[in-house]
Amino acid sequence: MRIGVIGTGRIGTIHANTLSRHREVGSLILTDTNPLRAQELAHRLGETAAPGVDEVFQWGVDAVVITTATSAHAELIGRAARSGLPVFCEKPIALDLSGTLGALAEVEAAGTVLQMGFQRRFDAGYVGAREAVRSGRLGRLHTVRALTSDQSPPPPEWLPLSGGLFRDTLIHDFDVLRWVTGREVTDVYASGSDAGPPMFRAAGDVDTGAAVLTLDDGTLATATATRLNGAGYDVRMELAGERDTVVVGLDDRTPVASTEPTGPPPCDKPWSGFFERFGSAYEAELRAFVEVVRGELPNPCDGREALQALRIAEACETSRRERRPVALAEVPDRLGAAYEGGALRV
């Protein structure tokens, strides 16, 4: 199997390393907007660098992995679909609904595969939480609390391109909330704070956000995120039911300290970032993609799943901006739909 990897930045390098070691992957073709970066990675891995995206498609590949800047995702997904190629793409498909829906329409018209990179679905803790919910161990689920806290903020120049805290960071929590519980979000109320460094205000973004989400069975969920968690990288989910409560992400590296006299001591090596925390999950999702391409596994996270997570993020951003509750029914899920209030048309 020959796979094209388009984008050799941080996450592209991670995925290329995983694929290069896979016994079913014979070779990789790597390309990047920075040709030297692709060439250096190809040399380290013993793979081939292509001067551009055109060559990746012209030289012949069996599948494509897209890890470019988000602004290029939708166009590349469409090009791969028209070429009849299966695609793995890092989230999101696009930073807006129209771009997302357009790319999905191309995939559906071509009948090709699009697997999205929501790696938490492959993390052992989240898998265990899903099993606890689905088995009935927790009884009726009544409360879910999710959080994602980055230790340090991203570069200022990246913020205007990110789509904002809800679309870029909390979208992972929105996706895994649906996946773990098996329920849909019906409405949200969200808020944000830009009281931190001025670069967030300059980008029209917030450094900290929170949302209350109601699920379709009445379960209440909260999701919070911040770019400024000095204690370390902290990603957790707590699920409380009438019979039991479980927690994802609580271990000897969770960056929290107890103020109780008999509480556990603070960890001495907290998680520093997303790859350290989710390294095994990133590898597992790429192994799954190879199995999908080989016809050995159903798609574990298709583009429609990514659309639903983006719709929740869009609802939260609207709620934050307009300071009101937002029903998910207001957010389009197909081309030609519109917000009921007429605020957005795609």
Side-chain angles (χ1 to χ4, degrees), residues 201-222:
R201 292 186 291 280
D205 196 5
V206 294
D207 58 73
T208 303
V212 177
L213 310 101
T214 303
L215 307 189
D216 57 12
D217 64 348
T219 300
L220 295 179
T222 60

Side-chain angles (χ1 to χ4, degrees), residues 12 15 26 90 107 145 164 170 178-179 182 189 200-201 212 250 263 271 281 288 293 302 310 316 323-324 332 345:
H15 290 336
E90 277 301 321
V107 170
R145 303 176 186 93
L170 276 166
R178 296 179 60 249
W179 186 74
Y189 190 90
F200 291 98
R201 292 186 291 280
V212 177
L250 184 61
W271 299 111
V293 175
D302 66 21
L310 178 62
C316 286
R323 296 179 177 271
R324 67 175 179 89
R345 297 187 179 278

Side-chain angles (χ1 to χ4, degrees), residues 96-102 104 167 184-186 303-316 318 321 324 326-346:
D96 57 21
L97 284 162
S98 59
T100 298
L101 291 166
L104 287 178
R167 298 186 189 94
E184 298 294 343
V185 174
T186 59
R304 285 284 161 184
E305 297 292 292
L307 171 63
Q308 297 313 318
L310 178 62
R311 291 180 67 233
I312 299 169
E314 289 286 336
C316 286
T318 299
R321 186 176 61 251
R324 67 175 179 89
V326 175
L328 263 290
E330 297 182 49
V331 184
D333 63 355
R334 62 191 187 280
L335 288 170
Y339 282 111
E340 290 179 354
L344 174 68
R345 297 187 179 278
V346 295

Side-chain angles (χ1 to χ4, degrees), residues 72-257:
H73 287 185
E75 179 184 352
L76 290 170
I77 289 169
R79 182 168 184 178
R82 294 189 298 274
S83 299
L85 294 173
V87 174
F88 177 94
C89 184
E90 277 301 321
K91 65 83 189 166
I93 294 172
L95 290 178
D96 57 21
L97 284 162
S98 59
T100 298
L101 291 166
L104 287 178
E106 291 218 60
V107 170
E108 291 175 2
T112 52
V113 169
L114 170 61
Q115 180 182 329
M116 295 303 300
F118 282 106
Q119 88 284 352
R120 294 187 194 182
R121 294 178 177 223
F122 296 85
D123 175 73
Y126 285 104
V127 170
R130 176 183 165 99
E131 291 172 352
V133 172
R134 305 300 181 90
S135 69
R137 169 185 163 187
L138 307 185
R140 184 187 68 85
L141 188 65
H142 53 73
T143 309
V144 181
R145 303 176 186 93
L147 67 89
T148 295
S149 299
D150 291 327
Q151 184 174 22
S152 55
E157 62 272 15
W158 182 82
L159 285 174
L161 309 176
S162 72
L165 189 67
F166 291 99
R167 298 186 189 94
D168 177 59
T169 300
L170 276 166
I171 196 168
H172 279 290
D173 297 271
F174 301 150
D175 174 71
V176 85
L177 173 65
R178 296 179 60 249
W179 186 74
V180 167
T181 65
R183 314 304 309 192
E184 298 294 343
V185 174
T186 59
D187 55 78
V188 308
Y189 190 90
S191 185
S193 171
D194 61 2
M199 64 182 185
F200 291 98
R201 292 186 291 280
D205 196 5
V206 294
D207 58 73
T208 303
V212 177
L213 310 101
T214 303
L215 307 189
D216 57 12
D217 64 348
T219 300
L220 295 179
T222 60
T224 63
T226 185
R227 304 282 198 186
L228 302 164
N229 198 58
Y233 182 73
D234 193 3
V235 174
R236 280 177 280 142
M237 173 180 273
E238 179 180 312
L239 299 106
E242 292 182 344
R243 295 179 185 169
D244 201 359
T245 298
V246 294
V247 182
V248 179
L250 184 61
D251 57 23
D252 60 359
R253 298 191 65 182
T254 305
V256 295

Side-chain angles (χ1 to χ4, degrees), residues 19-81:
L19 292 168
S20 187
R21 297 192 305 268
H22 198 292
R23 65 180 184 274
E24 301 294 348
V25 178
S27 62
L28 303 178
I29 299 178
L30 312 176
T31 194
D32 194 273
T33 53
N34 179 346
L36 181 60
R37 184 164 65 182
Q39 291 166 11
E40 290 174 346
L41 179 59
H43 179 72
R44 290 201 304 272
L45 298 179
E47 305 290 356
T48 301
V53 171
D54 289 344
E55 286 78 9
V56 171
F57 288 96
Q58 291 168 3
W59 292 357
V61 292
D62 300 299
V64 173
V65 171
I66 298 171
T67 58
T68 61
T70 298
S71 58
H73 287 185
E75 179 184 352
L76 290 170
I77 289 169
R79 182 168 184 178

